[in-house]
Amino acid sequence: MIPSGQAKLAGVMGWPVGHSCSPRLFGYWLDKYGIDGAYVPLAVEPRHFGQALRTSAVMGFRGINITVPHKTVALGVVDEADEAARRIGAVNAVTVRDDGSLWGANTDGFGFMAHLRARAPRWRAAHGPAVVIGAGGASRAICAALCDAGVPEVRIVNRTVARAEAVAIALGDPIKVMPWIARTSALEDASLVVNATTQGMAKEPALDLDIAGLGKDAVVYDIVYAPLETPLLRAARAAGNVAVDGLGMLIHQACPSFKAWFGVEPDVDENLRHDLAQNI
């Protein structure tokens, strides 16, 4: 529907932002629920980010999603932030409150866990260790969510050990840092393996990880969603493991923001997933 002069406004800030699926995702829900609203992509250079985020409140925006490279900077711009954002050190969703102040949140961990439970309903945190490849912002959000879920041990494997150690210091037990050279042995008795890097994304090399020794009951999760089937997921399916792609994480992490800004808790259905997958 065409937004009116009273439309509820939200958007996504990034640099660049043309690759973002969020406008299509939010647009799908706005149409589905017949909401008088609009969700727009906002390409903002890093040097202008703080000013742009503050200005969004003056311009009548209800909320702004934050994507690369602004997530960590956003934490220092908002007036207050939830515990998840503070622990992770990054904000991906900003709500403009009635008094014009900015509330920052991080919904990446929520999105990760919601999709994991939807696509791998038999997985349980108590089943065994989780292995997370990568130590960037997504990894930190995922590790925090796994710790909160009660996973007995979360093994972070990263090429740069110092970055993995920084995550371990920030989150504490049950994080265990393992060197890149030990990535194969890290999979021993693991119930979950997560690729939290860009390896396997279109135009990127495949993740260098041999999962031949992984138990058949383990779940393999790749946060990459372009393409939907990465070499890692292809290998997992061939081996008989449950394979979970990153598109659902993208969808689920948007749900809390949509509810906060537009007043409806959206459904995550296969039609939405199909619509996004066709336009990746």
Side-chain angles (χ1 to χ4, degrees):
M1 61 185 295
I2 299 175
S4 75
Q6 301 299 316
K8 300 174 182 178
L9 301 179
V12 55
M13 284 188 185
W15 185 260
V17 79
H19 67 284
S20 176
C21 291
S22 294
R24 189 171 192 91
L25 168 57
F26 277 78
Y28 177 94
W29 281 331
L30 289 171
D31 287 343
K32 177 177 180 178
Y33 298 110
I35 295 171
D36 183 10
Y39 185 98
V40 295
L42 301 165
V44 178
E45 293 184 47
R47 62 196 176 106
H48 297 312
F49 173 70
Q51 179 184 7
L53 187 57
R54 282 287 174 191
T55 302
S56 67
V58 179
M59 295 178 65
F61 279 79
R62 288 173 170 252
I64 299 288
N65 283 127
I66 310 296
T67 188
V68 292
H70 304 317
K71 288 185 178 184
T72 56
V73 177
L75 185 60
V77 177
V78 297
D79 297 295
E80 293 183 76
D82 67 10
E83 181 184 358
R86 295 195 302 271
R87 286 175 69 200
I88 296 164
V91 165
N92 76 330
V94 176
T95 296
V96 179
R97 296 187 289 199
D98 291 342
D99 63 358
S101 63
L102 303 180
W103 170 260
N106 192 302
T107 62
D108 284 336
F110 169 86
F112 170 81
M113 292 302 302
H115 188 48
L116 173 62
R117 289 172 174 138
R119 292 289 171 173
R122 297 179 63 181
W123 178 85
R124 296 291 183 274
H127 285 175
V131 178
V132 179
I133 310 296
S139 170
R140 188 175 291 221
I142 289 166
C143 288
L146 290 171
C147 290
D148 291 345
V151 173
E153 184 175 83
V154 180
R155 301 166 183 165
I156 302 181
V157 182
N158 194 58
R159 292 182 186 274
T160 305
V161 173
R163 292 195 70 188
E165 289 176 340
V167 178
I169 291 170
L171 299 180
D173 291 336
I175 304 291
K176 178 180 179 181
V177 175
M178 300 188 71
W180 183 251
I181 197 171
R183 61 192 181 280
T184 301
S185 60
L187 303 182
E188 184 179 352
D189 73 353
S191 69
L192 174 67
V193 178
V194 183
N195 174 31
T197 75
T198 59
Q199 300 294 287
M201 187 181 291
K203 299 182 181 180
E204 291 280 345
L207 179 66
D208 182 14
L209 183 67
D210 183 1
I211 62 170
L214 190 64
K216 301 303 180 185
D217 292 333
V219 176
V220 178
Y221 194 134
D222 198 328
I223 71 168
V224 170
Y225 60 83
L228 279 178
E229 183 166 83
T230 61
L232 175 64
L233 294 185
R234 193 176 305 119
R237 288 193 178 95
N241 295 95
V242 173
V244 182
D245 63 63
L247 184 58
M249 177 178 171
L250 172 74
I251 298 171
H252 281 280
Q253 62 83 29
C255 291
S257 297
F258 191 88
K259 181 178 181 180
W261 304 336
F262 297 107
V264 174
E265 185 164 354
D267 289 330
V268 177
D269 56 47
E270 286 303 314
N271 287 335
L272 169 57
R273 180 180 169 84
H274 178 76
D275 182 77
L276 293 178
Q278 292 300 306
N279 289 276
I280 290 175

